[in-house]
Amino acid sequence: KIIGISMIKAVFFDIDGTIYSYEKGIPKDTAKAIELLKANGHIPVICTGRTKCMIYPDFINLGFDNIIAGAGTYCETNGKELYYKKLEDAEARRVIDGFLEYGFFPLAEGKEYIYVGTDTSNLIHANVQYMDVHYEKNPNSIKTVEEKHIEISKVTGGFQNDSDMKAFSEKFKNDYSIINHNNMLLEFIPKGYNKAVGIDRLIKEIGIPKEDTYAFGDSFNDIDMLNYVEYGCLMGNGNQELKNKVEYKTDRFDEGGIYNGLKKFELI
């Protein structure tokens, strides 16, 4: 099926909780749906809070040539970098020190590397699993926060038994958008950046009008994306607080959510 240029749609996919989970991997029907989407001439785009080095080959191999990473702090199309927001060294160190001071395990995220804390003894169990997967999938991209030079665009912290989220968030709220992922991870994104910023830049680059944009996501760092595109769709496993803020809904990611959603939008 060949379609004209005016009919091409861009579809943006979050990763975690949308096309993948640490427990279940990538559902087969999701992989098939993205394959069909591409075969129909549409453009699938990864749009994730993960920075580029955390986007494993398993995801790229689904057929993604366009990437928005780091919650909108990085954008590329067909291997061409459109922009990359980097924190200054002193600012990166200030935020990492803040995570340590307020009882969080730091995961400082950049394009090439993530820099992690050295003491995992106080991590909650879910975050131990999270780290294990990264070490297994991409061990060469992991360094420690004790490195002299750190190149990052955002910082996430793993909750520990003594984390003080309230005081920490109060101290940094003017400089960062702060997103709590189910008391498991606390994500700090520089103000002025989010997934919608990346989408706006990318669609201008590839020539897709906003009315031809779709997105699938499940969590609070997806809300800008879901509200920016013409057709934002919340996964069935998405955060309950988002249900009244997003117009379209689909099934859980592991119960045909992506396949059924793309079918409903008549993209496959």
Side-chain angles (χ1 to χ4, degrees), residues 163-179:
S163 298
D164 185 348
M165 185 185 72
K166 189 175 179 184
F168 186 29
S169 299
E170 188 64 29
K171 183 172 180 177
F172 285 88
K173 68 180 182 182
N174 292 333
D175 300 317
Y176 295 88
S177 299
I178 301 172
I179 299 166

Side-chain angles (χ1 to χ4, degrees), residues 10 12 43-46 52 64-69 74-83 198-199 201-208:
F12 298 85
I43 302 171
V45 184
I46 285 177
K52 191 182 176 187
F64 291 102
D65 301 313
N66 299 274
I67 297 170
I68 296 164
Y74 175 85
C75 183
E76 73 169 50
T77 177
N78 293 303
K80 173 189 171 188
E81 185 178 302
L82 300 181
Y83 70 83
I199 293 172
R201 179 69 179 86
L202 183 69
I203 62 174
K204 285 173 179 168
E205 178 73 19
I206 63 179
I208 299 288

Side-chain angles (χ1 to χ4, degrees), residues 8-200:
I8 294 174
K9 315 295 184 185
V11 187
F12 298 85
F13 298 91
D14 171 50
I15 291 179
D16 297 285
T18 300
I19 63 170
Y20 168 86
S21 82
Y22 288 101
E23 296 80 20
K24 299 188 176 182
I26 302 166
K28 287 182 180 176
D29 55 8
T30 294
K32 183 64 179 174
I34 294 169
E35 180 187 332
L36 291 171
L37 183 71
K38 258 195 120 167
N40 284 347
H42 302 304
I43 302 171
V45 184
I46 285 177
C47 194
T48 179
R50 292 170 176 243
T51 49
K52 191 182 176 187
C53 69
M54 301 165 75
I55 301 172
Y56 312 139
D58 303 7
F59 306 135
I60 303 296
N61 293 340
L62 291 172
F64 291 102
D65 301 313
N66 299 274
I67 297 170
I68 296 164
T73 57
Y74 175 85
C75 183
E76 73 169 50
T77 177
N78 293 303
K80 173 189 171 188
E81 185 178 302
L82 300 181
Y83 70 83
Y84 173 38
K85 162 68 177 175
K86 288 183 283 193
L87 296 181
E88 297 292 334
D89 281 12
E91 177 61 11
R93 188 59 62 187
R94 180 177 82 97
V95 181
I96 290 167
D97 287 348
F99 273 91
L100 291 166
E101 179 185 349
Y102 288 93
F104 288 85
F105 179 83
L107 296 146
E109 304 163 59
K111 182 173 71 169
E112 305 287 344
Y113 301 99
I114 61 170
Y115 304 83
V116 303
T118 54
D119 180 8
T120 60
S121 61
N122 203 21
L123 266 181
I124 62 171
H125 180 64
N127 284 326
V128 174
Q129 293 176 305
Y130 174 86
M131 288 303 302
D132 286 346
V133 173
H134 286 309
Y135 278 112
E136 176 195 339
K137 292 277 190 182
N138 208 0
N140 295 329
S141 71
I142 299 176
K143 296 187 174 185
T144 79
V145 293
E146 294 174 354
E147 292 280 333
K148 187 172 181 182
H149 175 65
I150 288 180
E151 185 182 292
I152 59 169
S153 51
K154 61 190 277 274
V155 186
T156 300
F159 274 79
Q160 302 185 119
N161 298 320
D162 59 348
S163 298
D164 185 348
M165 185 185 72
K166 189 175 179 184
F168 186 29
S169 299
E170 188 64 29
K171 183 172 180 177
F172 285 88
K173 68 180 182 182
N174 292 333
D175 300 317
Y176 295 88
S177 299
I178 301 172
I179 299 166
N180 178 6
H181 295 275
N182 303 315
N183 287 339
M184 179 178 148
L185 296 171
L186 196 66
E187 184 177 28
F188 274 40
I189 304 163
K191 284 278 176 78
Y193 291 87
N194 57 50
K195 293 186 178 186
V197 170
I199 293 172
D200 184 68

